[in-house]
């Protein structure tokens, strides 16, 4: 019994030491590769006040946290904020950090953020910030940071979606979201938990939902090639009114295709 306690204590001490030492060893490598990838891959201007690597910000994940984070949108909204947050943290895949040539980011955490999505009358959106690969570019080095998301967590956000091309406006305060799925795949299943303190939906200047409290769990199949969304399981409560819906939402060249069954 004493030996077991002794070895358990030693193991815990070693693990704790590793949790302090690992961020110190890999901190510069993580910061440099993430900064390099951001400069090469993002069309939007990015800024932050400080960066630190730790296991304890979002335990047990090892995260690179950027404070006072701001990311501007893509043209023609390059001078306007797309995302700003008190903190944004990128979860680092440990096996890729220690054994791989590339660092794999598989989690994103947003805290106290403002998400401002805009589309003008021409259909130009501010969220096209990820620079497309050039066909003539040389083969990418494997030392790049890879963004292969499996989890997104948003805490206490204000979300605005303003689409002037379709006359759709959505705004939400107290927006909390947890999503899990292999977001790096072209076709994937997304499991979501959603809580919104206040949701407003306006179409063609007519209010459809105003000041509604949302609480729900959703399972959505997403095809990023065709921009198709299949809503398989959706248990929502809107101001404690239970809503169950299934259906699909497809983006077309000249509009949308929507087919919903609502209970």
């Amino acid at each position: 019994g004493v030996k077991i306690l002794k070895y358990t204590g030693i193991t815990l001490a070693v693990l704790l030491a590793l949790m302090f030492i690992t961020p110190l060893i890999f901190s510069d490598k993580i910061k440099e590769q993430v900064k390099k990838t951001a400069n090469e891959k993002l069309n939007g201007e990015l800024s932050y006040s400080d960066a630190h690597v730790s296991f304890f910000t979002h335990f047990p994940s090892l995260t690179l946290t950027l404070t006072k984070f701001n990311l501007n949108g893509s043209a023609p909204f390059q001078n306007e904020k797309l995302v700003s947050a008190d903190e944004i943290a990128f979860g680092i895949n440990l096996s890729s950090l220690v054994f791989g040539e590339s660092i794999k980011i598989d989690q994103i955490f947003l805290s106290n953020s403002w998400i401002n999505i805009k589309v003008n009358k021409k259909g130009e959106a501010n969220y096209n910030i990820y620079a497309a690969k050039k066909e003539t570019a040389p083969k990418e080095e494997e030392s790049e940071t890879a963004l292969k998301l499996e989890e997104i967590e948003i805490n206490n956000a204000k979300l605005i979606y303003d689409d002037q091309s379709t006359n759709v406006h959505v705004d939400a305060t107290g927006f909390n979201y947890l999503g899990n799925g292999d977001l790096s795949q072209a076709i994937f299943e997304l499991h979501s938990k959603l809580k919104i303190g206040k949701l407003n939906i306006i179409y063609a200047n007519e209010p459809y939902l105003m000041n509604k409290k949302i609480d729900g769990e959703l399972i959505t199949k997403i095809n990023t090639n065709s921009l198709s969304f299949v809503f398989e399981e959706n248990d929502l409560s809107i101001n404690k009114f239970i809503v169950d819906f299934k259906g699909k939402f497809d983006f077309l060249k000249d509009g949308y295709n929507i087919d919903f069954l609502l209970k």
Side-chain angles (χ1 to χ4, degrees):
V2 174
K3 276 189 176 182
I4 292 171
L5 286 172
K6 183 181 176 182
Y7 289 129
T8 304
I10 291 169
T11 304
L12 289 172
V14 169
L15 287 173
L16 198 59
L18 284 172
M19 292 182 79
F20 279 104
I21 293 167
T22 304
L24 295 175
I25 295 171
F26 293 103
S27 179
D28 289 342
K29 178 183 177 183
I30 293 168
K31 289 177 185 177
E32 282 304 313
Q33 287 202 19
V34 170
K35 190 175 181 180
K36 177 176 178 280
T37 301
N39 287 334
E40 290 177 356
K41 296 294 181 185
L42 295 181
N43 286 323
E45 182 185 341
L46 183 149
S47 63
Y48 55 90
S49 64
D50 193 21
H52 64 272
V53 180
S54 174
F55 275 104
F56 301 103
T57 307
H58 292 277
F59 184 81
S61 300
L62 175 65
T63 54
L64 167 66
T65 301
L66 308 179
T67 55
K68 302 298 178 187
F69 173 87
N70 182 70
L71 175 63
N72 282 7
S74 53
F77 301 97
Q78 63 266 36
N79 295 322
E80 297 181 42
K81 291 180 181 180
L82 170 61
V83 178
S84 61
D86 285 353
E87 284 187 353
I88 183 169
F90 301 96
I92 310 296
N93 180 281
L94 279 176
S95 61
S96 73
L97 177 65
V98 178
F99 303 110
E101 289 187 29
S102 65
I103 293 175
K104 179 180 168 186
I105 293 172
D106 56 15
Q107 296 170 300
I108 287 183
F109 306 90
L110 268 173
S111 302
N112 301 322
S113 57
W114 184 51
I115 303 166
N116 181 40
I117 300 169
K118 284 189 172 185
V119 183
N120 65 16
K121 288 182 180 178
K122 295 179 183 178
E124 297 169 321
N126 69 339
Y127 51 78
N128 295 317
I129 56 165
Y130 194 75
K133 292 178 185 177
K134 294 179 182 177
E135 294 293 328
T136 55
K139 190 177 178 182
E140 295 181 29
E141 294 178 13
E142 289 188 7
S143 60
E144 282 192 8
T145 306
L147 190 66
K148 295 184 177 179
L149 290 179
E150 294 171 5
E151 181 175 315
I152 297 174
E153 185 174 324
I154 301 171
N155 292 308
N156 191 33
K158 179 173 175 62
L159 172 72
I160 296 171
Y161 174 81
D162 189 65
D163 188 343
Q164 294 182 7
S165 68
T166 58
N167 282 323
V168 173
H169 176 92
V170 178
D171 62 77
T173 53
F175 181 90
N176 296 279
Y177 176 81
L178 177 63
N180 292 282
D182 190 352
L183 283 74
S184 63
Q185 299 298 315
I187 301 170
F188 62 90
E189 193 169 84
L190 182 65
H191 292 248
S192 305
K193 288 185 178 181
L194 178 68
K195 280 191 177 185
I196 301 174
K198 187 172 74 173
L199 174 69
N200 299 321
I201 298 177
I202 300 166
Y203 174 67
N205 295 322
E206 290 290 329
Y208 278 75
L209 287 179
M210 297 298 291
N211 299 324
K212 300 300 182 188
K213 189 176 181 179
I214 308 294
D215 192 347
E217 295 189 19
L218 305 89
I219 298 176
T220 312
K221 275 191 176 173
I222 299 172
N223 186 327
T224 57
N225 292 328
S226 62
L227 274 182
S228 173
F229 301 83
V230 178
F231 298 90
E232 294 191 327
E233 289 184 32
N234 306 279
D235 298 314
L236 280 179
S237 68
I238 303 175
N239 276 11
K240 296 184 179 179
F241 182 75
I242 305 300
V243 177
D244 179 35
F245 71 93
K246 293 181 181 180
K248 66 177 182 176
F249 186 103
D250 299 321
F251 282 92
L252 308 175
K253 285 184 179 179
D254 54 354
Y256 307 104
N257 177 33
I258 302 171
D259 182 13
F260 280 119
L261 178 65
L262 191 67
K263 292 182 183 178

